[in-house]
Amino acid sequence: MKRIKKIFMAMLIGLLFPCIVNAASGSINIASSSTVVVGNKVTVTVTISSGTKMGSWQMSLNYDKSYLQLTNSTARDGGTFMIDYAEDPGVLKKTYTFTFKTLKKGSTSVSVGGYLAYAYADLSEISLSSNSKKINIITQAELEASYSKNNNLASLGVEGFTLTPEFNA
């Protein structure tokens, strides 16, 4: 009977004074140049962050290998799998850098998958949101075609002096 009373009291207290638990949240942000020339390198940064100190996390980078070739990485073993844990007292942010060589013209995107993070204090799961980054790969000829055709000098001057005769484009 005492046990039933205790359960009933706990339920009653829970109804009268509800506990509001705010789950920890964080984000994964992917950043890079939006346009790159075929054959050049592009650097992609992946940053995981949270308002709650993180104790451990994991995620993997997804990309189309027909457009991008990984040449360097600060992730585990120089690859695309990011798994880590924080020393005492945890961390709020961790950034990984990936360098790719662009292989062909077109549009591709980089994203993360299989991501998880846990709070340092109590190992509760941190709710994460993530973005993806679109990369447009163009040819050198397309880049040069976008340059201005106006190569006229608009003005000429020397600070503190007056030109004689006056500049005329």
Side-chain angles (χ1 to χ4, degrees):
M1 187 69 171
K2 274 186 166 184
R3 185 177 172 138
I4 293 173
K5 274 186 173 180
K6 284 182 182 179
I7 292 172
F8 179 73
M9 285 301 289
M11 289 172 52
L12 183 61
I13 289 171
L15 288 172
L16 294 175
F17 306 102
C19 270
I20 298 172
V21 177
N22 291 324
S25 64
S27 64
I28 301 168
N29 184 53
I30 303 171
S32 77
S33 299
S34 295
T35 304
V36 185
V37 173
V38 174
N40 287 356
K41 292 186 177 182
V42 61
T43 299
V44 175
T45 59
V46 176
T47 303
I48 182 170
S49 60
S50 174
T52 301
K53 289 190 177 181
M54 298 179 293
S56 63
W57 55 91
Q58 71 178 42
M59 57 191 154
S60 60
L61 190 71
N62 301 320
Y63 66 97
D64 188 334
K65 292 178 182 176
S66 69
Y67 286 96
L68 301 170
Q69 177 185 19
L70 183 65
T71 59
N72 194 19
S73 164
T74 60
R76 178 168 289 224
D77 300 325
T80 59
F81 191 60
M82 298 158 275
I83 184 168
D84 214 340
Y85 66 93
E87 299 290 334
D88 188 25
V91 298
L92 295 173
K93 178 168 75 169
K94 174 72 177 182
T95 299
Y96 297 91
T97 304
F98 302 88
T99 305
F100 294 95
K101 179 180 178 183
T102 57
L103 300 175
K104 67 180 183 178
K105 173 184 164 45
S107 183
T108 189
S109 64
V110 179
S111 63
V112 292
Y115 49 83
L116 290 169
Y118 297 95
Y120 183 84
D122 60 6
L123 299 180
S124 61
E125 188 171 338
I126 297 173
S127 174
L128 295 169
S129 62
S130 176
N131 70 326
S132 62
K133 179 62 181 173
K134 183 178 174 184
I135 301 172
N136 188 28
I137 305 170
I138 62 173
T139 64
Q140 182 67 34
E142 288 174 314
L143 175 65
E144 290 173 6
S146 71
Y147 295 161
S148 171
K149 305 297 181 236
N150 180 356
N151 62 358
N152 295 329
L153 187 59
S155 65
L156 181 64
V158 178
E159 190 173 320
F161 294 94
T162 303
L163 293 179
T164 307
E166 188 176 298
F167 174 76
N168 184 344

